[in-house]
Structure formats: structure tokens, C-alpha cells
Amino acid sequence: MTVERATLPGGYSISRLLMGGWQLAGGHGSVTAAAAHAQMQAYADAGITTFDCADIYTGVEELIGGFKRLRAAPAVQVHTKCVPDREALGRLRRVDIERLIDRSLARLGVTQLDLVQFHWWDYAMPGCVAAAQWLDELRQAGKIRLVGVTNFDTPQLAALLAAGISVATHQVQYSVLDQRPAAGMTDLCATHGVQLLCYGALAGGFLAEKYLGQPAPVEPLENRSLVKYRLIIEEFGGWDMFQNMLQVLRRIAAKHQSTISAVAIRHVLDQPQVAGVIVGARNAQHLPATLAAMRLRLDAADRTEIAAGQAAASGPGGDTYTLERMPRGPHAAIMRYNINATS
């Protein structure tokens, strides 16, 4: 099966399914380097050649760097992030940003980073635009091929674009449960040629047959992904509303002889400005179900049925990532803000 590809600025080609690295970091159980490398090889061999990670995903840049050194083919593209600690915001210097980039270069064992996605925890702290400009200067100097952002809201992304920063991509949460990027973000990105890279399309694994018709899971949940996306389910309208959406997805999947997960991924891939969907790489046993999205084509009736299920939901509302930025809110409570210095 051929995995679709998308082209970013400068002719840079990525697979439209990306292997996500968050679940290889802390909070999801231990994983050996050998096991992680085997999973990466399985994804790459299947055509998912673009890997997503971050400087704050503990140990993941090193794992991918080790994989790149050990495996000659197929060639992979690696997207990382630049996430300064929240306690450092407001006093960052250019040298601090360059230090973070140099560390990612060293961890990954490369001379140029394919894509660096910039995040800023607190818009009340000054320096966001300046830090993004420093990243863009490092792009111009050759240390970075492309600069993107992650989890910006619409006004703040507009501010970066107005400052003349070359933003190629924006990584956002997007799923049948979370439509926040459609509330203005996609229009802004379309105007400026910014493409979306989307995580959360499977809601941490909740969008699957195993949860259909089942009672809500009880705490403690198995990992941080489930904690995060259980909150999104509550914003969507609770477990019963979520079950209604699972039933919709199951009917569509049965019609196409596919799976709930494949329908959920295909739905996001089909949204405006979406270049790719990031899927977790905790276990390669889910790879066949993920690849099934490449065979699937949703029709107008499918899209109408999904839209009806979404219209009945109560949320989540607002701009991209605003819920997660609410002080003392449940979404913010699971964040780790100051781990870059030690990750």
C-alpha cells in the first residue's frame, strides 16, 4: 500500500501519516531502544517515513537519532520542536534558542533539522515574536530547513505572520471530537500557505472499536494520553455523546469494510489545509489499522453523518489550544511546563 505524501515549501516531501514520538517519552511506560527502533523500522518500511518528536519528549530525539545512525534505508524525515521552559519566558536570548537547536542537532545526529515547531507557553510573557524570529534566522543560516509552530491560537499565529516570519506548518489537535482549528485557524493558514499537521485524530486510542458500547473507564487511567483525551471527551459532551459518535463512525466503517480508527484518521486528512496526521508509535501492532486510512474514501453521506454527530455535541469550543492555556483548568493541570532544561 502506498502512503500518501504532501509537499511543504521548498519541495520538502512528507508522508501524510506521521509517526508520533510522544508515547515513547515518559508517562506511557518504559520502552527499550531496541523495541523503539523496531517500531520505527516497521513504520518506515510501511511508508510512514516522517517522524514527529520534540526537545521536551524525554529521550525521544536520542532514540530517533540512534535509529537514523543504525538504519540506512528508507530515508526518514524528522520533525522536532523548540519549547522553551515557561519559567524562562521573558528573559530568553538568541543564544538560548540557538542552544536548544544545537542540542536537537546533536541528539538527532544531523547538520540540519528538517522542521522545527515552535511553542510558547504564556502569551502574557514578552518575547514570543522575537524568539520565532531567531528561529527563522537559524533557518536562513542553514541549521533548520523549515520553521513551524505548534498549539498557537489564531491571533498569535497572525502576529508571527505579520512580523514576516516564514511559518510552514502549524501542529494542532484535530479530530472528529475536536473541531477547534476550523473556527478561524484554517482560514488564516489558507491565506498564508501554512499547512496543518494534526495530532489527536484517534483521541489517544479512544476512537476505536474496543470502547464502543463500553462503560466509561475509571481512574486511574493507564497513561497520560488517555487522561488528556478523556478530558476532550467530557468537553465533547460526555461519555454518552462520545458513544453516539463511535456508533456513527462504526456505521461508516462497516459500509466501507474498514475500522473506526481509519474513518477517524481519514476524516482529519480530508479537512482543509491538513498536510498530515500524527499517529502514536507506542506499539506497531496498530500499524495495519492506521494504514487502512489510506485505502478509505469518505463520501458526501459519510461527511454529513459525521457533521450531524458533531452538531449534537457541546464542545470543545473556542480557539485552538485555549482550553489548555486556562490557568488552573483541568487541561492545564496535566501539562509539564519546565522540563526542557533536564529533558
Side-chain angles (χ1 to χ4, degrees):
M1 179 189 305
T2 301
V3 173
E4 299 164 17
R5 299 191 72 83
T7 303
L8 301 185
Y12 174 58
S13 175
I14 65 170
S15 55
R16 294 200 70 205
L17 294 175
L18 294 82
M19 189 204 77
W22 185 42
Q23 294 184 15
L24 298 176
H28 297 87
S30 60
V31 60
T32 66
H37 291 166
Q39 290 167 209
M40 293 175 196
Q41 189 67 51
Y43 276 72
D45 288 343
I48 301 176
T49 65
T50 309
F51 297 175
D52 181 83
C53 63
D55 53 0
I56 60 169
Y57 297 174
T58 304
V60 178
E61 286 182 325
E62 292 94 334
L63 281 173
I64 295 175
F67 172 77
K68 285 174 64 66
R69 286 188 289 271
L70 290 171
R71 313 284 176 162
V76 297
Q77 307 81 48
V78 182
H79 299 173
T80 191
K81 300 180 184 72
C82 178
V83 186
D85 284 345
R86 185 168 69 174
E87 66 180 13
L89 305 183
R91 52 184 173 83
L92 284 172
R93 303 162 297 165
R94 187 186 188 282
V95 67
D96 299 317
I97 296 297
E98 188 163 14
R99 177 182 58 81
L100 294 177
I101 295 305
D102 286 344
R103 187 181 63 179
S104 292
L105 287 166
R107 287 172 170 178
L108 290 165
V110 296
T111 58
Q112 184 184 62
L113 299 172
D114 292 325
L115 174 70
V116 174
Q117 301 158 105
F118 174 57
H119 179 67
W120 193 262
W121 287 114
D122 187 353
Y123 297 139
M125 298 299 295
C128 178
V129 172
Q133 288 173 327
W134 294 330
L135 280 175
D136 205 35
E137 290 171 6
L138 293 172
R139 177 190 63 83
Q140 296 172 53
K143 289 191 175 185
I144 301 169
R145 180 170 186 167
L146 294 174
V147 170
V149 296
T150 181
N151 292 329
F152 271 64
D153 64 19
T154 306
Q156 293 298 323
L157 177 55
L160 296 190
L161 294 167
I165 296 164
S166 180
V167 179
T169 63
H170 186 193
Q171 186 176 137
V172 295
Q173 183 173 298
Y174 210 169
S175 72
V176 295
L177 306 178
D178 184 356
Q179 303 176 77
R180 288 177 290 173
M185 181 61 72
T186 52
D187 288 342
L188 175 68
C189 290
T191 298
H192 294 274
V194 179
Q195 298 191 60
L196 298 178
L197 300 174
C198 304
Y199 66 90
L202 295 178
F206 276 117
L207 290 169
E209 278 78 5
K210 67 179 289 188
Y211 289 102
L212 179 62
Q214 298 301 310
V218 297
E219 296 183 353
L221 299 180
E222 182 181 352
N223 57 56
R224 290 183 68 209
S225 289
L226 294 179
V227 173
K228 173 181 174 66
Y229 293 106
R230 183 68 178 87
L231 291 171
I232 293 296
I233 289 172
E234 287 305 305
E235 298 286 350
F236 187 71
W239 194 254
D240 289 343
M241 188 65 69
F242 169 65
Q243 286 294 314
N244 290 340
M245 179 55 76
L246 281 183
Q247 290 169 9
V248 167
L249 299 179
R250 182 61 199 136
R251 286 195 295 272
I252 295 171
K255 169 183 168 181
H256 294 282
Q257 297 183 309
S258 190
T259 66
I260 287 175
S261 297
V263 174
I265 291 171
R266 188 76 249 176
H267 168 78
V268 178
L269 285 170
D270 289 346
Q271 299 310 301
Q273 293 303 117
V274 172
V277 166
I278 300 163
V279 292
R282 180 70 188 159
N283 195 322
Q285 72 181 17
H286 302 299
L287 188 53
T290 299
L291 291 170
M294 293 290 98
R295 293 190 295 267
L296 183 60
R297 292 296 179 268
L298 301 179
D299 59 32
D302 301 330
R303 291 189 285 273
T304 297
E305 192 169 4
I306 291 172
Q310 292 171 326
S314 57
D319 205 342
T320 301
Y321 212 69
T322 52
L323 285 171
E324 291 81 353
R325 292 181 182 275
M326 293 178 62
R328 296 178 295 279
H331 300 270
I334 67 172
M335 301 296 175
R336 297 175 178 176
Y337 295 103
N338 299 303
I339 62 174
N340 209 334
T342 58
S343 64

